[in-house]
Amino acid sequence: MGLTDWLSRFRRRPASTGERGEADAAIYLRQQGYRVLGTNLRSRRGEIDLLALTPDETMVVIVEVKAGTGSGPPPEVHVNARKQKQLVTLACGLA
């Protein structure tokens, strides 16, 4: 194994769209005074990409990152009633 091969094992792979979106959302929320409670939170019931708490601690914010071309349906279409219920259940268990 050459030096280049050995060093390539330590290079970070390029961030996916989801990772970039989560990082951007976390930065924005922190700038607005929100407290990020966690990212990529998993339980047996599902996953939350980013969970945050409002500055006055009265609401939980759930960020779901989706990749898209921008020409499809708006993002909120992907969070139907079933998904909303799942996210609330997850947030209650993780917050």
Side-chain angles (χ1 to χ4, degrees):
M1 174 184 291
L3 179 60
T4 304
D5 294 327
W6 183 79
L7 287 173
S8 70
R9 293 177 21 204
F10 299 100
R11 288 193 188 114
R12 184 163 163 30
R13 62 180 169 75
S16 69
T17 301
E19 289 170 332
R20 285 191 310 270
E22 290 165 17
D24 290 347
I27 290 168
Y28 175 79
L29 290 171
R30 284 186 180 111
Q31 288 173 343
Q32 302 305 309
Y34 290 66
R35 185 165 48 119
V36 175
L37 302 175
T39 59
N40 298 314
L41 303 169
R42 291 180 177 88
S43 80
R44 58 187 167 89
R45 294 190 174 150
E47 177 185 357
I48 292 178
D49 294 339
L50 191 146
L51 184 67
L53 189 62
T54 57
D56 61 3
E57 299 186 353
T58 60
M59 288 184 275
V60 172
V61 176
I62 300 170
V63 175
E64 285 289 305
V65 178
K66 301 291 179 208
T69 61
S71 60
E76 57 270 17
V77 170
H78 298 285
V79 185
N80 58 27
R82 185 175 84 66
K83 181 70 172 181
Q84 287 176 23
K85 184 177 179 181
Q86 178 190 24
L87 291 172
V88 168
T89 301
L90 283 166
C92 289
L94 295 170

